[in-house]
Amino acid sequence: MARRILALLALPVLAGLSACQEDGEGIPVPSGRALSLIEVVTNAPGTEGAAARFRFLAPGLTPDEAEAAAVDMQALCDGYALPRTEGMVPAPRQIIISFSGKNLPFGQTAPDVVQFFESYAIGTGTCIWEQF
Protein backbone atom coordinates (compact mmCIF):
# COMPACT_ATOMS: atom_id res chain seq x y z
CA MET A 1 0.00 0.00 0.00
CA ALA A 2 2.81 2.43 0.90
CA ARG A 3 4.52 1.79 -2.47
CA ARG A 4 1.29 2.60 -4.29
CA ILE A 5 0.94 5.88 -2.41
CA LEU A 6 4.57 6.83 -3.15
CA ALA A 7 4.07 5.97 -6.82
CA LEU A 8 0.95 8.14 -7.00
CA LEU A 9 2.77 11.04 -5.31
CA ALA A 10 5.64 10.77 -7.83
CA LEU A 11 3.37 10.87 -10.89
CA PRO A 12 2.88 14.67 -10.98
CA VAL A 13 6.64 15.28 -10.80
CA LEU A 14 7.41 12.75 -13.54
CA ALA A 15 4.56 14.04 -15.71
CA GLY A 16 5.94 17.55 -15.35
CA LEU A 17 9.39 16.40 -16.36
CA SER A 18 8.21 14.77 -19.55
CA ALA A 19 5.99 17.71 -20.47
CA CYS A 20 8.51 20.51 -19.88
CA GLN A 21 9.61 22.88 -22.58
CA GLU A 22 12.38 21.80 -24.96
CA ASP A 23 14.60 24.74 -23.99
CA GLY A 24 14.69 23.46 -20.42
CA GLU A 25 13.17 26.57 -18.81
CA GLY A 26 11.17 25.74 -15.73
CA ILE A 27 12.09 22.06 -15.49
CA PRO A 28 10.63 20.79 -12.21
CA VAL A 29 13.00 18.83 -9.98
CA PRO A 30 12.49 17.45 -6.45
CA SER A 31 14.58 20.22 -4.82
CA GLY A 32 12.62 22.98 -6.54
CA ARG A 33 15.86 24.45 -7.94
CA ALA A 34 15.53 26.67 -11.01
CA LEU A 35 17.31 25.01 -13.93
CA SER A 36 17.70 25.72 -17.61
CA LEU A 37 19.11 23.50 -20.31
CA ILE A 38 22.43 24.78 -21.67
CA GLU A 39 22.81 22.12 -24.36
CA VAL A 40 22.77 18.44 -25.24
CA VAL A 41 26.15 17.13 -26.42
CA THR A 42 26.15 13.89 -28.40
CA ASN A 43 29.47 14.09 -30.24
CA ALA A 44 31.75 13.40 -27.23
CA PRO A 45 31.92 9.70 -26.30
CA GLY A 46 31.63 8.64 -22.68
CA THR A 47 33.44 5.80 -20.94
CA GLU A 48 30.97 3.28 -22.41
CA GLY A 49 30.92 4.64 -25.99
CA ALA A 50 28.17 6.86 -27.36
CA ALA A 51 26.88 9.25 -24.69
CA ALA A 52 24.21 11.92 -24.44
CA ARG A 53 25.30 14.74 -22.15
CA PHE A 54 22.56 16.99 -20.81
CA ARG A 55 24.11 20.17 -19.45
CA PHE A 56 22.04 22.35 -17.12
CA LEU A 57 22.61 25.81 -15.72
CA ALA A 58 21.94 25.92 -11.97
CA PRO A 59 22.50 29.54 -10.86
CA GLY A 60 23.79 29.90 -7.31
CA LEU A 61 24.91 26.25 -7.07
CA THR A 62 27.06 25.64 -3.98
CA PRO A 63 29.32 22.71 -2.99
CA ASP A 64 27.06 21.74 -0.07
CA GLU A 65 24.17 20.96 -2.47
CA ALA A 66 25.73 17.78 -3.89
CA GLU A 67 23.21 15.41 -2.26
CA ALA A 68 20.14 17.38 -3.43
CA ALA A 69 21.71 17.73 -6.89
CA ALA A 70 22.15 13.95 -7.12
CA VAL A 71 18.44 13.43 -6.43
CA ASP A 72 17.54 16.10 -9.01
CA MET A 73 19.87 14.55 -11.58
CA GLN A 74 18.28 11.11 -11.18
CA ALA A 75 14.84 12.67 -11.71
CA LEU A 76 16.12 14.58 -14.76
CA CYS A 77 17.68 11.48 -16.24
CA ASP A 78 14.54 9.37 -15.82
CA GLY A 79 11.94 11.99 -16.74
CA TYR A 80 13.70 14.42 -19.08
CA ALA A 81 16.85 13.00 -20.66
CA LEU A 82 15.92 9.36 -21.21
CA PRO A 83 12.82 10.09 -23.32
CA ARG A 84 14.89 12.48 -25.46
CA THR A 85 17.45 9.80 -26.34
CA GLU A 86 14.86 7.89 -28.40
CA GLY A 87 16.01 7.93 -32.01
CA MET A 88 19.46 9.42 -31.35
CA VAL A 89 22.09 8.08 -33.76
CA PRO A 90 24.24 6.49 -32.60
CA ALA A 91 22.06 5.31 -29.74
CA PRO A 92 23.69 6.43 -26.49
CA ARG A 93 24.87 3.78 -24.08
CA GLN A 94 25.22 6.34 -21.34
CA ILE A 95 23.54 9.56 -20.18
CA ILE A 96 25.58 12.16 -18.35
CA ILE A 97 23.77 14.92 -16.46
CA SER A 98 25.71 17.99 -15.33
CA PHE A 99 24.86 21.09 -13.32
CA SER A 100 26.98 24.22 -13.50
CA GLY A 101 26.67 27.40 -11.48
CA LYS A 102 27.65 29.39 -14.59
CA ASN A 103 27.29 28.78 -18.30
CA LEU A 104 30.73 27.51 -19.31
CA PRO A 105 31.67 26.08 -22.72
CA PHE A 106 31.61 22.27 -22.83
CA GLY A 107 34.79 20.81 -21.37
CA GLN A 108 35.98 24.05 -19.78
CA THR A 109 36.89 24.05 -16.11
CA ALA A 110 36.77 27.03 -13.81
CA PRO A 111 37.93 26.65 -10.20
CA ASP A 112 35.46 29.30 -9.02
CA VAL A 113 32.40 27.63 -10.61
CA VAL A 114 30.63 24.75 -8.87
CA GLN A 115 29.86 21.87 -11.24
CA PHE A 116 28.33 18.45 -10.53
CA PHE A 117 28.27 15.45 -12.87
CA GLU A 118 26.47 12.11 -12.71
CA SER A 119 26.63 9.23 -15.17
CA TYR A 120 23.86 6.73 -15.88
CA ALA A 121 23.53 3.51 -17.85
CA ILE A 122 20.35 3.26 -19.86
CA GLY A 123 18.03 0.60 -18.52
CA THR A 124 14.58 -0.42 -19.61
CA GLY A 125 12.63 2.79 -18.99
CA THR A 126 14.99 4.03 -16.29
CA CYS A 127 18.45 5.45 -15.71
CA ILE A 128 20.86 3.39 -13.63
CA TRP A 129 23.40 5.46 -11.68
CA GLU A 130 27.04 4.61 -12.39
CA GLN A 131 30.07 5.65 -10.39
CA PHE A 132 31.65 8.41 -12.47
Side-chain angles (χ1 to χ4, degrees):
M1 180 68 165
R3 277 188 163 174
R4 185 175 296 164
I5 291 170
L6 287 174
L8 290 173
L9 291 173
L11 284 176
V13 172
L14 293 176
L17 285 171
S18 62
C20 63
Q21 298 175 18
E22 283 302 310
D23 65 3
E25 291 297 329
I27 299 170
V29 289
S31 72
R33 170 176 286 289
L35 297 172
S36 58
L37 182 67
I38 296 172
E39 67 181 335
V40 179
V41 177
T42 59
N43 63 351
T47 57
E48 301 299 320
R53 299 170 192 272
F54 289 79
R55 302 182 61 232
F56 293 90
L57 179 62
L61 191 63
T62 63
D64 62 337
E65 295 176 289
E67 199 169 307
V71 172
D72 288 349
M73 289 178 176
Q74 180 71 53
L76 282 168
C77 191
D78 289 332
Y80 184 84
L82 186 59
R84 285 162 176 78
T85 63
E86 294 286 326
M88 284 185 177
V89 177
R93 297 180 46 120
Q94 184 177 42
I95 294 174
I96 299 168
I97 305 285
S98 66
F99 286 3
S100 179
K102 292 184 182 174
N103 189 351
L104 298 173
F106 177 68
Q108 181 177 333
T109 60
D112 61 325
V113 178
V114 176
Q115 297 184 69
F116 296 132
F117 303 87
E118 291 290 356
S119 174
Y120 304 89
I122 297 175
T124 304
T126 189
C127 293
I128 303 163
W129 178 79
E130 301 178 312
Q131 190 168 3
F132 201 34

